[in-house]
Amino acid sequence: ASAVLPPLFIALSLVWGMAVFVLAHAACGGAGEELHRRMRNLLGILVALALYLTAVYHLTNLYFARQVEFERFILLEGGVYPWLFWVGYVLAGSVAPMVLVWRSAASAGSLRLAATLTLAGAFAWLYVFIIGGQAFPLEIFPGYEVTSSFRDGQIASYVPSLPEVLLGLGGVAAAFLIALVGVQVFEFLPDGDR
């Protein structure tokens, strides 16, 4: 395990929570221009921080010889996992939201789109981190060949079932609902924004 993981998880939680908050806030009727500007800046900074810490995590993993094969699998040669990482998380879930919130003509619609793309990138990152990490075969006994009827040493394949996909979407919906109720119940928005 890497010492970068705790701050990475904190940054990812903050950015994904901010994305849900932006969408919940938009569902409550939006906000004034000043609040939109602040939310755009905060979302952009958090996305950039999470992307930076993700890069640091993968670069520090490359420092350890035992992790090089795993990093090659996740980032380059792992079939669907590199595509989800580079296209899903890096481009669609990080770079595109930063462009949307930091361009000069950013609007409330671009903020909502950036938040939606950030959440799509979250699903891509989680799939690569969790499923890709489990699909890569572990070398349990270095220097020895282990064989059994359990496909030892082979890359595992996995396709999520409909209940699993619905469970993931339900988690986002629950976070959205909690943020929406929190905005309505706890009056912490400026008066002109409710």
Side-chain angles (χ1 to χ4, degrees), residues 58-113:
H58 288 291
L59 289 172
T60 55
N61 270 353
L62 289 173
Y63 180 76
F64 302 107
R66 64 184 167 91
Q67 293 289 91
V68 171
E69 288 298 317
F70 173 72
E71 288 296 323
R72 184 177 293 129
F73 171 76
I74 289 292
L75 300 177
L76 299 173
E77 301 168 355
V80 70
Y81 304 110
W83 279 99
L84 282 173
F85 180 78
W86 292 109
V87 176
Y89 173 68
V90 173
L91 289 179
S94 297
V95 174
M98 286 189 293
V99 169
L100 284 168
V101 298
W102 284 336
R103 65 185 179 150
S104 59
S107 64
S110 63
L111 176 61
R112 287 190 302 273
L113 179 59

Short mmCIF file of all heavy atoms in Angstrom, two decimals, residues 58-113:
data_model
loop_
_atom_site.label_atom_id
_atom_site.label_comp_id
_atom_site.label_asym_id
_atom_site.label_seq_id
_atom_site.Cartn_x
_atom_site.Cartn_y
_atom_site.Cartn_z
N HIS A 58 0.27 6.64 -8.93
CA HIS A 58 0.76 5.72 -9.96
C HIS A 58 2.26 5.86 -10.18
O HIS A 58 2.95 4.86 -10.41
CB HIS A 58 -0.01 5.91 -11.26
CG HIS A 58 -1.41 5.39 -11.19
ND1 HIS A 58 -1.69 4.03 -11.11
CD2 HIS A 58 -2.61 6.01 -11.16
CE1 HIS A 58 -3.00 3.86 -11.04
NE2 HIS A 58 -3.57 5.04 -11.06
N LEU A 59 2.78 7.07 -10.08
CA LEU A 59 4.23 7.26 -10.24
C LEU A 59 5.00 6.64 -9.07
O LEU A 59 6.07 6.06 -9.28
CB LEU A 59 4.56 8.74 -10.38
CG LEU A 59 4.13 9.37 -11.71
CD1 LEU A 59 4.33 10.88 -11.67
CD2 LEU A 59 4.89 8.75 -12.87
N THR A 60 4.48 6.76 -7.85
CA THR A 60 5.18 6.13 -6.73
C THR A 60 5.08 4.61 -6.80
O THR A 60 6.00 3.92 -6.38
CB THR A 60 4.63 6.62 -5.38
OG1 THR A 60 3.23 6.40 -5.32
CG2 THR A 60 4.94 8.07 -5.15
N ASN A 61 3.98 4.08 -7.35
CA ASN A 61 3.90 2.64 -7.55
C ASN A 61 4.95 2.15 -8.53
O ASN A 61 5.45 1.03 -8.41
CB ASN A 61 2.50 2.23 -8.04
CG ASN A 61 1.56 1.93 -6.91
OD1 ASN A 61 1.96 1.89 -5.75
ND2 ASN A 61 0.31 1.72 -7.24
N LEU A 62 5.28 2.97 -9.52
CA LEU A 62 6.30 2.58 -10.49
C LEU A 62 7.69 2.54 -9.87
O LEU A 62 8.60 1.93 -10.42
CB LEU A 62 6.28 3.53 -11.69
CG LEU A 62 5.07 3.39 -12.61
CD1 LEU A 62 5.07 4.50 -13.65
CD2 LEU A 62 5.07 2.02 -13.28
N TYR A 63 7.86 3.18 -8.73
CA TYR A 63 9.14 3.15 -8.03
C TYR A 63 9.44 1.77 -7.47
O TYR A 63 10.59 1.37 -7.36
CB TYR A 63 9.13 4.20 -6.91
CG TYR A 63 10.39 4.26 -6.12
CD1 TYR A 63 11.53 4.88 -6.63
CD2 TYR A 63 10.45 3.70 -4.84
CE1 TYR A 63 12.70 4.93 -5.89
CE2 TYR A 63 11.62 3.76 -4.10
CZ TYR A 63 12.73 4.37 -4.63
OH TYR A 63 13.88 4.42 -3.90
N PHE A 64 8.39 1.02 -7.11
CA PHE A 64 8.55 -0.32 -6.54
C PHE A 64 8.54 -1.36 -7.66
O PHE A 64 7.58 -1.44 -8.42
CB PHE A 64 7.43 -0.63 -5.54
CG PHE A 64 7.36 0.35 -4.41
CD1 PHE A 64 6.34 1.29 -4.36
CD2 PHE A 64 8.31 0.34 -3.41
CE1 PHE A 64 6.27 2.20 -3.32
CE2 PHE A 64 8.25 1.25 -2.37
CZ PHE A 64 7.23 2.18 -2.33
N ALA A 65 9.57 -2.15 -7.73
CA ALA A 65 9.70 -3.14 -8.81
C ALA A 65 8.52 -4.11 -8.83
O ALA A 65 8.07 -4.51 -9.90
CB ALA A 65 11.01 -3.90 -8.67
N ARG A 66 8.01 -4.49 -7.68
CA ARG A 66 6.91 -5.46 -7.64
C ARG A 66 5.60 -4.89 -8.16
O ARG A 66 4.67 -5.64 -8.45
CB ARG A 66 6.73 -5.99 -6.22
CG ARG A 66 6.31 -4.96 -5.22
CD ARG A 66 6.24 -5.52 -3.80
NE ARG A 66 6.14 -4.48 -2.82
CZ ARG A 66 5.01 -4.00 -2.36
NH1 ARG A 66 3.88 -4.49 -2.79
NH2 ARG A 66 5.01 -3.03 -1.46
N GLN A 67 5.49 -3.56 -8.30
CA GLN A 67 4.26 -2.94 -8.77
C GLN A 67 4.27 -2.58 -10.25
O GLN A 67 3.25 -2.19 -10.79
CB GLN A 67 3.99 -1.66 -7.96
CG GLN A 67 3.66 -1.88 -6.51
CD GLN A 67 2.30 -2.49 -6.33
OE1 GLN A 67 2.16 -3.71 -6.29
NE2 GLN A 67 1.29 -1.66 -6.25
N VAL A 68 5.42 -2.73 -10.90
CA VAL A 68 5.54 -2.29 -12.30
C VAL A 68 4.59 -3.07 -13.21
O VAL A 68 3.92 -2.48 -14.07
CB VAL A 68 7.00 -2.40 -12.78
CG1 VAL A 68 7.12 -2.15 -14.27
CG2 VAL A 68 7.87 -1.41 -12.01
N GLU A 69 4.51 -4.38 -13.04
CA GLU A 69 3.61 -5.18 -13.87
C GLU A 69 2.16 -4.79 -13.65
O GLU A 69 1.38 -4.71 -14.60
CB GLU A 69 3.80 -6.68 -13.60
CG GLU A 69 5.09 -7.24 -14.14
CD GLU A 69 5.17 -7.12 -15.67
OE1 GLU A 69 4.17 -7.39 -16.35
OE2 GLU A 69 6.25 -6.72 -16.15
N PHE A 70 1.80 -4.54 -12.41
CA PHE A 70 0.43 -4.12 -12.11
C PHE A 70 0.12 -2.77 -12.76
O PHE A 70 -0.94 -2.58 -13.36
CB PHE A 70 0.20 -4.05 -10.60
CG PHE A 70 -1.14 -3.47 -10.23
CD1 PHE A 70 -2.29 -4.20 -10.43
CD2 PHE A 70 -1.23 -2.20 -9.70
CE1 PHE A 70 -3.53 -3.67 -10.12
CE2 PHE A 70 -2.46 -1.66 -9.37
CZ PHE A 70 -3.61 -2.40 -9.58
N GLU A 71 1.04 -1.82 -12.65
CA GLU A 71 0.82 -0.51 -13.26
C GLU A 71 0.75 -0.61 -14.77
O GLU A 71 -0.06 0.07 -15.40
CB GLU A 71 1.93 0.46 -12.85
CG GLU A 71 1.84 0.90 -11.41
CD GLU A 71 0.58 1.69 -11.08
OE1 GLU A 71 0.12 2.49 -11.92
OE2 GLU A 71 0.04 1.50 -9.99
N ARG A 72 1.55 -1.47 -15.37
CA ARG A 72 1.49 -1.68 -16.82
C ARG A 72 0.12 -2.24 -17.20
O ARG A 72 -0.48 -1.84 -18.19
CB ARG A 72 2.59 -2.64 -17.28
CG ARG A 72 2.61 -2.81 -18.80
CD ARG A 72 3.74 -3.69 -19.28
NE ARG A 72 5.02 -3.05 -19.03
CZ ARG A 72 6.04 -3.64 -18.40
NH1 ARG A 72 5.92 -4.88 -17.98
NH2 ARG A 72 7.15 -3.00 -18.22
N PHE A 73 -0.39 -3.15 -16.38
CA PHE A 73 -1.71 -3.74 -16.62
C PHE A 73 -2.80 -2.68 -16.52
O PHE A 73 -3.65 -2.56 -17.41
CB PHE A 73 -1.96 -4.87 -15.61
CG PHE A 73 -3.35 -5.41 -15.63
CD1 PHE A 73 -3.76 -6.27 -16.64
CD2 PHE A 73 -4.25 -5.10 -14.64
CE1 PHE A 73 -5.04 -6.78 -16.67
CE2 PHE A 73 -5.54 -5.60 -14.64
CZ PHE A 73 -5.93 -6.45 -15.66
N ILE A 74 -2.80 -1.90 -15.45
CA ILE A 74 -3.86 -0.91 -15.21
C ILE A 74 -3.79 0.25 -16.21
O ILE A 74 -4.80 0.74 -16.69
CB ILE A 74 -3.76 -0.36 -13.77
CG1 ILE A 74 -4.19 -1.42 -12.78
CG2 ILE A 74 -4.58 0.90 -13.58
CD1 ILE A 74 -5.64 -1.79 -12.82
N LEU A 75 -2.58 0.70 -16.54
CA LEU A 75 -2.43 1.91 -17.33
C LEU A 75 -2.22 1.68 -18.82
O LEU A 75 -2.46 2.59 -19.62
CB LEU A 75 -1.26 2.75 -16.79
CG LEU A 75 -1.39 3.21 -15.34
CD1 LEU A 75 -0.14 3.96 -14.92
CD2 LEU A 75 -2.62 4.06 -15.15
N LEU A 76 -1.78 0.47 -19.23
CA LEU A 76 -1.43 0.28 -20.64
C LEU A 76 -2.02 -0.96 -21.29
O LEU A 76 -2.55 -0.89 -22.40
CB LEU A 76 0.10 0.25 -20.81
CG LEU A 76 0.87 1.50 -20.39
CD1 LEU A 76 2.35 1.26 -20.45
CD2 LEU A 76 0.47 2.67 -21.25
N GLU A 77 -1.89 -2.11 -20.64
CA GLU A 77 -2.14 -3.36 -21.34
C GLU A 77 -3.32 -4.15 -20.80
O GLU A 77 -3.50 -5.31 -21.17
CB GLU A 77 -0.88 -4.25 -21.27
CG GLU A 77 0.33 -3.61 -21.87
CD GLU A 77 1.62 -4.36 -21.55
OE1 GLU A 77 1.57 -5.34 -20.77
OE2 GLU A 77 2.65 -3.95 -22.08
N GLY A 78 -4.13 -3.60 -19.96
CA GLY A 78 -5.18 -4.36 -19.27
C GLY A 78 -6.52 -4.42 -19.95
O GLY A 78 -7.53 -4.62 -19.29
N GLY A 79 -6.58 -4.22 -21.25
CA GLY A 79 -7.85 -4.29 -21.96
C GLY A 79 -8.73 -3.08 -21.68
O GLY A 79 -8.42 -1.96 -22.05
N VAL A 80 -9.84 -3.31 -21.00
CA VAL A 80 -10.80 -2.23 -20.72
C VAL A 80 -10.31 -1.28 -19.64
O VAL A 80 -10.69 -0.11 -19.62
CB VAL A 80 -12.18 -2.83 -20.35
CG1 VAL A 80 -12.14 -3.50 -18.99
CG2 VAL A 80 -13.26 -1.77 -20.38
N TYR A 81 -9.44 -1.73 -18.76
CA TYR A 81 -9.03 -0.90 -17.62
C TYR A 81 -8.25 0.35 -18.03
O TYR A 81 -8.53 1.43 -17.51
CB TYR A 81 -8.26 -1.74 -16.60
CG TYR A 81 -9.07 -2.93 -16.15
CD1 TYR A 81 -8.71 -4.22 -16.52
CD2 TYR A 81 -10.23 -2.76 -15.40
CE1 TYR A 81 -9.47 -5.31 -16.14
CE2 TYR A 81 -10.99 -3.85 -15.01
CZ TYR A 81 -10.62 -5.12 -15.39
OH TYR A 81 -11.38 -6.19 -15.01
N PRO A 82 -7.27 0.25 -18.93
CA PRO A 82 -6.61 1.50 -19.37
C PRO A 82 -7.57 2.46 -20.07
O PRO A 82 -7.47 3.67 -19.89
CB PRO A 82 -5.52 1.01 -20.33
CG PRO A 82 -5.28 -0.39 -19.95
CD PRO A 82 -6.58 -0.93 -19.46
N TRP A 83 -8.51 1.92 -20.85
CA TRP A 83 -9.48 2.79 -21.51
C TRP A 83 -10.34 3.52 -20.49
O TRP A 83 -10.58 4.72 -20.61
CB TRP A 83 -10.38 1.97 -22.45
CG TRP A 83 -9.74 1.68 -23.75
CD1 TRP A 83 -9.12 0.53 -24.13
CD2 TRP A 83 -9.61 2.58 -24.85
NE1 TRP A 83 -8.61 0.66 -25.40
CE2 TRP A 83 -8.91 1.91 -25.87
CE3 TRP A 83 -10.02 3.89 -25.07
CZ2 TRP A 83 -8.61 2.51 -27.08
CZ3 TRP A 83 -9.73 4.48 -26.29
CH2 TRP A 83 -9.03 3.80 -27.27
N LEU A 84 -10.83 2.80 -19.50
CA LEU A 84 -11.63 3.45 -18.47
C LEU A 84 -10.82 4.47 -17.69
O LEU A 84 -11.33 5.54 -17.32
CB LEU A 84 -12.21 2.40 -17.51
CG LEU A 84 -13.41 1.63 -18.02
CD1 LEU A 84 -13.77 0.52 -17.05
CD2 LEU A 84 -14.59 2.55 -18.23
N PHE A 85 -9.55 4.15 -17.43
CA PHE A 85 -8.72 5.09 -16.68
C PHE A 85 -8.44 6.35 -17.49
O PHE A 85 -8.70 7.46 -17.03
CB PHE A 85 -7.41 4.43 -16.25
CG PHE A 85 -6.52 5.36 -15.47
CD1 PHE A 85 -6.77 5.62 -14.14
CD2 PHE A 85 -5.46 6.01 -16.09
CE1 PHE A 85 -5.98 6.50 -13.42
CE2 PHE A 85 -4.66 6.89 -15.38
CZ PHE A 85 -4.92 7.13 -14.05
N TRP A 86 -7.89 6.19 -18.70
CA TRP A 86 -7.45 7.34 -19.48
C TRP A 86 -8.62 8.12 -20.09
O TRP A 86 -8.64 9.35 -20.02
CB TRP A 86 -6.48 6.92 -20.58
CG TRP A 86 -5.19 6.44 -20.02
CD1 TRP A 86 -4.72 5.16 -20.00
CD2 TRP A 86 -4.18 7.23 -19.36
NE1 TRP A 86 -3.50 5.10 -19.37
CE2 TRP A 86 -3.14 6.35 -18.98
CE3 TRP A 86 -4.06 8.58 -19.06
CZ2 TRP A 86 -2.00 6.80 -18.31
CZ3 TRP A 86 -2.94 9.02 -18.40
CH2 TRP A 86 -1.92 8.13 -18.04
N VAL A 87 -9.59 7.41 -20.67
CA VAL A 87 -10.71 8.11 -21.31
C VAL A 87 -11.79 8.46 -20.30
O VAL A 87 -12.29 9.58 -20.27
CB VAL A 87 -11.28 7.25 -22.47
CG1 VAL A 87 -12.50 7.92 -23.09
CG2 VAL A 87 -10.22 7.01 -23.53
N GLY A 88 -12.15 7.48 -19.45
CA GLY A 88 -13.23 7.70 -18.51
C GLY A 88 -12.87 8.64 -17.37
O GLY A 88 -13.59 9.61 -17.11
N TYR A 89 -11.75 8.34 -16.69
CA TYR A 89 -11.39 9.15 -15.53
C TYR A 89 -10.59 10.39 -15.91
O TYR A 89 -10.94 11.51 -15.54
CB TYR A 89 -10.63 8.34 -14.49
CG TYR A 89 -10.10 9.19 -13.36
CD1 TYR A 89 -10.97 9.79 -12.46
CD2 TYR A 89 -8.75 9.46 -13.22
CE1 TYR A 89 -10.51 10.61 -11.45
CE2 TYR A 89 -8.27 10.28 -12.21
CZ TYR A 89 -9.16 10.85 -11.33
OH TYR A 89 -8.70 11.67 -10.33
N VAL A 90 -9.48 10.21 -16.64
CA VAL A 90 -8.59 11.34 -16.90
C VAL A 90 -9.23 12.36 -17.84
O VAL A 90 -9.34 13.54 -17.49
CB VAL A 90 -7.23 10.86 -17.43
CG1 VAL A 90 -6.36 12.02 -17.85
CG2 VAL A 90 -6.51 10.02 -16.38
N LEU A 91 -9.68 11.91 -19.02
CA LEU A 91 -10.21 12.87 -19.99
C LEU A 91 -11.62 13.35 -19.64
O LEU A 91 -11.85 14.55 -19.45
CB LEU A 91 -10.20 12.26 -21.40
CG LEU A 91 -8.83 12.09 -22.03
CD1 LEU A 91 -8.95 11.46 -23.40
CD2 LEU A 91 -8.12 13.43 -22.15
N ALA A 92 -12.58 12.40 -19.56
CA ALA A 92 -13.98 12.80 -19.35
C ALA A 92 -14.24 13.23 -17.91
O ALA A 92 -15.01 14.16 -17.67
CB ALA A 92 -14.90 11.65 -19.74
N GLY A 93 -13.61 12.57 -16.93
CA GLY A 93 -13.92 12.84 -15.54
C GLY A 93 -13.03 13.87 -14.88
O GLY A 93 -13.32 14.30 -13.75
N SER A 94 -11.94 14.30 -15.54
CA SER A 94 -11.04 15.28 -14.92
C SER A 94 -10.72 16.46 -15.84
O SER A 94 -10.98 17.61 -15.48
CB SER A 94 -9.74 14.60 -14.48
OG SER A 94 -10.00 13.63 -13.50
N VAL A 95 -10.15 16.18 -17.00
CA VAL A 95 -9.74 17.27 -17.89
C VAL A 95 -10.95 18.05 -18.41
O VAL A 95 -10.96 19.29 -18.37
CB VAL A 95 -8.88 16.72 -19.06
CG1 VAL A 95 -8.57 17.81 -20.06
CG2 VAL A 95 -7.59 16.10 -18.51
N ALA A 96 -11.97 17.33 -18.89
CA ALA A 96 -13.16 18.03 -19.41
C ALA A 96 -13.85 18.88 -18.35
O ALA A 96 -14.19 20.04 -18.63
CB ALA A 96 -14.13 17.01 -20.02
N PRO A 97 -14.05 18.38 -17.12
CA PRO A 97 -14.64 19.26 -16.11
C PRO A 97 -13.79 20.50 -15.80
O PRO A 97 -14.33 21.60 -15.61
CB PRO A 97 -14.77 18.37 -14.87
CG PRO A 97 -14.89 17.00 -15.42
CD PRO A 97 -14.01 17.00 -16.63
N MET A 98 -12.47 20.34 -15.77
CA MET A 98 -11.62 21.50 -15.51
C MET A 98 -11.75 22.53 -16.63
O MET A 98 -11.82 23.74 -16.38
CB MET A 98 -10.16 21.08 -15.33
CG MET A 98 -9.90 20.42 -14.00
SD MET A 98 -8.15 20.15 -13.64
CE MET A 98 -7.70 18.93 -14.86
N VAL A 99 -11.80 22.05 -17.87
CA VAL A 99 -11.98 22.98 -19.00
C VAL A 99 -13.33 23.68 -18.91
O VAL A 99 -13.43 24.89 -19.11
CB VAL A 99 -11.83 22.22 -20.34
CG1 VAL A 99 -12.28 23.08 -21.51
CG2 VAL A 99 -10.40 21.76 -20.54
N LEU A 100 -14.36 22.91 -18.57
CA LEU A 100 -15.71 23.49 -18.49
C LEU A 100 -15.83 24.55 -17.40
O LEU A 100 -16.48 25.57 -17.60
CB LEU A 100 -16.74 22.39 -18.24
CG LEU A 100 -17.09 21.51 -19.44
CD1 LEU A 100 -17.89 20.30 -19.00
CD2 LEU A 100 -17.85 22.32 -20.48
N VAL A 101 -15.22 24.33 -16.25
CA VAL A 101 -15.40 25.30 -15.15
C VAL A 101 -14.42 26.46 -15.22
O VAL A 101 -14.70 27.52 -14.66
CB VAL A 101 -15.31 24.63 -13.76
CG1 VAL A 101 -16.42 23.60 -13.61
CG2 VAL A 101 -13.96 24.03 -13.49
N TRP A 102 -13.31 26.29 -15.91
CA TRP A 102 -12.32 27.36 -15.94
C TRP A 102 -12.28 28.15 -17.24
O TRP A 102 -11.48 29.07 -17.37
CB TRP A 102 -10.93 26.82 -15.61
CG TRP A 102 -10.77 26.54 -14.15
CD1 TRP A 102 -11.46 27.10 -13.12
CD2 TRP A 102 -9.85 25.63 -13.55
NE1 TRP A 102 -11.04 26.60 -11.92
CE2 TRP A 102 -10.04 25.68 -12.15
CE3 TRP A 102 -8.89 24.76 -14.05
CZ2 TRP A 102 -9.31 24.92 -11.26
CZ3 TRP A 102 -8.17 24.00 -13.16
CH2 TRP A 102 -8.37 24.07 -11.79
N ARG A 103 -13.13 27.83 -18.18
CA ARG A 103 -13.15 28.64 -19.40
C ARG A 103 -13.84 29.96 -19.10
O ARG A 103 -14.63 30.08 -18.15
CB ARG A 103 -13.82 27.90 -20.54
CG ARG A 103 -15.26 27.63 -20.33
CD ARG A 103 -15.85 26.79 -21.43
NE ARG A 103 -17.26 26.58 -21.10
CZ ARG A 103 -18.18 26.43 -21.98
NH1 ARG A 103 -17.87 26.44 -23.25
NH2 ARG A 103 -19.43 26.24 -21.61
N SER A 104 -13.56 30.96 -19.91
CA SER A 104 -14.05 32.30 -19.59
C SER A 104 -15.56 32.42 -19.70
O SER A 104 -16.18 33.22 -19.00
CB SER A 104 -13.38 33.32 -20.52
OG SER A 104 -13.66 32.99 -21.87
N ALA A 105 -16.20 31.63 -20.56
CA ALA A 105 -17.66 31.73 -20.74
C ALA A 105 -18.40 30.64 -19.96
O ALA A 105 -19.44 30.17 -20.39
CB ALA A 105 -17.98 31.63 -22.22
N ALA A 106 -17.87 30.25 -18.80
CA ALA A 106 -18.50 29.19 -18.02
C ALA A 106 -19.86 29.66 -17.50
O ALA A 106 -20.01 30.79 -17.06
CB ALA A 106 -17.61 28.78 -16.85
N SER A 107 -20.85 28.77 -17.58
CA SER A 107 -22.21 29.10 -17.16
C SER A 107 -22.68 28.07 -16.13
O SER A 107 -21.97 27.12 -15.80
CB SER A 107 -23.14 29.09 -18.36
OG SER A 107 -23.21 27.78 -18.90
N ALA A 108 -23.91 28.26 -15.66
CA ALA A 108 -24.49 27.30 -14.73
C ALA A 108 -24.64 25.94 -15.40
O ALA A 108 -24.45 24.90 -14.76
CB ALA A 108 -25.84 27.80 -14.22
N GLY A 109 -24.99 25.93 -16.67
CA GLY A 109 -25.11 24.66 -17.41
C GLY A 109 -23.78 23.94 -17.53
O GLY A 109 -23.71 22.72 -17.42
N SER A 110 -22.70 24.70 -17.76
CA SER A 110 -21.38 24.06 -17.86
C SER A 110 -20.93 23.52 -16.51
O SER A 110 -20.24 22.50 -16.44
CB SER A 110 -20.35 25.02 -18.44
OG SER A 110 -20.15 26.12 -17.60
N LEU A 111 -21.34 24.18 -15.42
CA LEU A 111 -21.03 23.67 -14.08
C LEU A 111 -21.75 22.35 -13.83
O LEU A 111 -21.16 21.40 -13.31
CB LEU A 111 -21.40 24.70 -13.02
CG LEU A 111 -21.21 24.28 -11.56
CD1 LEU A 111 -19.75 23.98 -11.27
CD2 LEU A 111 -21.73 25.37 -10.63
N ARG A 112 -23.02 22.28 -14.21
CA ARG A 112 -23.77 21.02 -14.05
C ARG A 112 -23.18 19.92 -14.91
O ARG A 112 -23.05 18.77 -14.47
CB ARG A 112 -25.25 21.23 -14.38
CG ARG A 112 -25.99 22.02 -13.32
CD ARG A 112 -27.49 22.01 -13.55
NE ARG A 112 -27.88 22.55 -14.85
CZ ARG A 112 -28.10 23.85 -15.08
NH1 ARG A 112 -27.97 24.73 -14.11
NH2 ARG A 112 -28.46 24.26 -16.28
N LEU A 113 -22.79 20.24 -16.13
CA LEU A 113 -22.17 19.24 -17.01
C LEU A 113 -20.83 18.78 -16.44
O LEU A 113 -20.52 17.59 -16.45
CB LEU A 113 -21.98 19.81 -18.42
CG LEU A 113 -21.31 18.89 -19.43
CD1 LEU A 113 -22.10 17.59 -19.61
CD2 LEU A 113 -21.13 19.61 -20.76
#
